[in-house]
Amino acid sequence: MDDFIAARSQMALSLGFHIIYSCIGMVMPVFMAISHYKWIKTKDQVYKNITVAWSKGVAIFFATGAVSGTMLSFELGLLWPGFMKHAGPIFGMPFSLEGVAFFIEAIALGFFLYGWNRLNTWFHWVTGIVVGISGIASGILVVSANSWMNSPSGFDFMNGKYLNIDPLKAMFNEAWFSEALHMTIAAFSATGFAVAGIHALMIYRNRNVHFHSKAFKIAIIFGAAAAILQPLSGDISAKGAAKRQPAKLAAMEAYFHTQEYAPLVIGGIPDTAAKKVNYGIEIPGLLSFLVHDNFKQQVNGLDKIPVKNQPPIAVTHYAFQIMVGFGMLMMLIGVLYFIALWKKKSWFNKGWFLKMFIWATPAGFIALEAGWTVTEVGRQPWIIQGVMRTSEAVTPMPGIQYSFYLFTFIYFTLSVFVIFLLKRQIQMVPELYDR
């Protein structure tokens, strides 16, 4: 493994783990605050028990997210010094603000965890709200920095120098809103389905059904609603990619030839040598409609992009198909849930209905990882779109593969501990809260 591949692999691994920790850390405090509010208003002890149980999960993921996020900040300087040298002064503002949001979240979480029976009830609840708001703000700010890499702005690039830097313009670049919206909804969808799936499993096993039923309802309402809204934010993101990153869009669709009535390809195996997609289902004109809101207008294909500027087509296409496939599956399950909530309440007692959510537990995070792959791999060979290539930013330090092996071991070890702690917490629920 050469140093360039090792550096990219280490960054991919780190981001792949961190995105799960951070998304759960963004969303679980919101669920916690909802159950806490229900306890305050109804005095139903079950809601307090749910809040206490979820707050322990929030603490676990806050700690692991802090560790993985700190490692990522070191990796940016270690692996990509060329990138940080030039980009740091430009997009440093959202990272600085994210640090502020992180400290506020840490302080608020401390108040919340140790405030039971010590603080005013409503003040205690507000500290949980602050945890949720600051967590979501942290996620949006980090995505703002990433969106700048896809849509660089706030500077002039002349003679190899970065001049006239405007951090605010860089932070609120053209892609930040669509990416932040898409990522936030994805976090709610993935976490909602994952939490609901775990509680559905406990209901299916007939363990503390009253507790898990109430917890399931809070989680799946957010997860299902987010899954139904996700295609709308995805459409906004795709239109933005077509405008700012046509090579990424073409790779996502494995769209080789520029044409009118551009077809949308579902599935298929890209053949880059023959410049075609085998075994895919083509829907004529639909790509034109999705990009331009009409079926006729031309969409630029990979034939308009120099080969040296094209991203890895197969990886981007497969990841995009996985993201869309699991997203559509979750949307369908979300629709079925609201149908059950509205007219078919008997479904909640059916084994097949609970199994549907159990099997869908990892679906959101699979879609999330696939979508992140599309975002990052689809931008290649650029680390800053159209300005700096990834190969120009990598460290000249040798032996990066050993760093990759070390970080791989750390992340997998960390994940094992997280799984162990969560499993232990879930198993303790009947013993502690079945009262």
Side-chain angles (χ1 to χ4, degrees):
M1 181 184 292
D2 64 38
D3 290 335
F4 179 61
I5 296 300
R8 288 187 59 188
S9 299
Q10 181 174 325
M11 204 70 193
L13 177 82
S14 301
L15 287 168
F17 277 99
H18 181 69
I19 196 171
I20 295 176
Y21 302 148
S22 60
C23 284
I24 296 174
M26 287 169 61
V27 176
M28 279 304 298
V30 177
F31 294 173
M32 181 182 74
I34 296 295
S35 63
H36 194 183
Y37 177 79
K38 283 181 171 288
W39 171 67
I40 294 172
K41 297 298 290 185
T42 67
K43 299 304 178 183
D44 185 340
Q45 184 68 22
V46 172
Y47 285 118
K48 180 180 180 180
N49 294 341
I50 292 170
T51 305
V52 172
W54 278 350
S55 69
K56 294 179 180 179
V58 169
I60 291 169
F61 281 102
F62 177 83
T64 52
V67 171
S68 61
T70 302
M71 290 171 68
L72 271 170
S73 65
F74 283 113
E75 286 179 54
L76 284 172
L78 172 68
L79 302 176
W80 312 105
F83 170 68
M84 293 303 296
K85 175 183 177 181
H86 299 291
I90 304 172
F91 80 141
M93 178 176 286
F95 274 134
S96 299
L97 293 176
E98 192 276 335
V100 173
F102 173 80
F103 284 123
I104 293 173
E105 183 181 6
I107 294 167
L109 182 59
F111 273 109
F112 188 85
L113 292 176
Y114 297 101
W116 291 102
N117 304 318
R118 295 182 178 91
L119 300 174
N120 172 274
T121 300
W122 285 105
F123 178 78
H124 186 215
W125 175 72
V126 168
T127 62
I129 292 290
V130 172
V131 174
I133 292 173
S134 56
I136 292 172
S138 292
I140 290 174
L141 288 164
V142 170
V143 171
S144 173
N146 179 265
S147 68
W148 177 83
M149 298 163 68
N150 295 321
S151 178
S153 61
F155 66 96
D156 294 322
F157 185 66
M158 295 183 292
N159 300 322
K161 296 182 178 180
Y162 297 78
L163 307 173
N164 303 321
I165 293 172
D166 184 343
L168 278 176
K169 189 175 180 181
M171 180 175 170
F172 297 107
N173 56 80
E174 289 186 359
W176 86 267
F177 176 77
S178 61
E179 285 198 24
L181 177 66
H182 195 58
M183 187 67 208
T184 303
I185 294 176
F188 273 92
S189 179
T191 306
F193 267 81
V195 174
I198 292 170
H199 290 293
L201 178 62
M202 296 297 106
I203 297 169
Y204 184 75
R205 291 177 175 176
N206 200 31
R207 296 182 182 175
N208 203 5
V209 172
H210 187 54
F211 173 96
H212 289 292
S213 294
K214 289 183 179 296
F216 170 83
K217 186 175 182 179
I218 294 172
I220 197 56
I221 283 178
F222 278 94
I228 292 170
L229 292 173
Q230 189 69 301
L232 299 178
S233 69
D235 180 66
I236 296 171
S237 295
K239 284 180 168 61
K243 177 183 176 183
R244 294 181 291 271
Q245 296 177 291
K248 177 186 285 187
L249 179 75
M252 287 160 51
E253 299 292 345
Y255 176 59
F256 290 98
H257 305 290
T258 301
Q259 57 187 297
E260 296 180 345
Y261 296 101
L264 182 75
V265 178
I266 299 175
I269 301 174
D271 184 341
T272 54
K275 300 188 184 304
K276 65 177 183 178
V277 180
N278 298 317
Y279 313 113
I281 301 172
E282 287 193 0
I283 304 177
L286 189 55
L287 183 59
S288 291
F289 177 77
L290 292 175
V291 173
H292 299 297
D293 294 324
N294 71 75
F295 289 97
K296 182 180 179 180
Q297 191 166 338
Q298 175 179 293
V299 177
N300 289 333
L302 288 163
D303 56 352
K304 296 287 187 179
I305 311 295
V307 174
K308 66 178 183 178
N309 292 338
Q310 293 180 9
I313 297 166
V315 174
T316 308
H317 178 70
Y318 295 143
F320 180 68
Q321 296 294 312
I322 291 170
M323 178 188 72
V324 172
F326 277 96
M328 296 302 292
L329 174 65
M330 294 166 65
M331 183 180 72
L332 175 61
I333 295 174
V335 170
L336 290 175
Y337 172 77
F338 285 116
I339 291 173
L341 193 63
W342 182 35
K343 283 194 171 184
K344 297 286 185 179
K345 294 188 184 295
S346 61
W347 287 359
F348 290 111
N349 299 318
K350 304 292 185 182
W352 67 266
F353 191 73
L354 291 171
K355 285 181 180 179
M356 182 172 63
F357 293 99
I358 295 168
W359 284 106
T361 299
F365 287 113
I366 294 172
L368 191 73
E369 295 284 10
W372 194 250
T373 300
V374 171
T375 298
E376 295 302 294
V377 177
R379 189 179 60 244
Q380 300 306 312
W382 305 101
I383 192 168
I384 305 175
Q385 180 67 43
V387 177
M388 177 183 285
R389 291 179 176 272
T390 309
S391 58
E392 298 169 346
V394 72
T395 179
M397 184 179 71
I400 294 299
Q401 68 268 28
Y402 301 110
S403 172
F404 168 64
Y405 301 144
L406 175 62
F407 275 70
T408 300
F409 173 78
I410 291 172
Y411 275 112
F412 276 100
T413 303
L414 185 63
S415 297
V416 168
F417 277 109
V418 169
I419 293 169
F420 168 77
L421 291 171
L422 290 177
K423 183 179 179 181
R424 184 182 178 188
Q425 178 61 28
I426 293 167
Q427 290 172 337
M428 289 171 61
V429 165
E431 177 184 340
L432 294 177
Y433 306 127
D434 196 8
R435 302 189 179 104

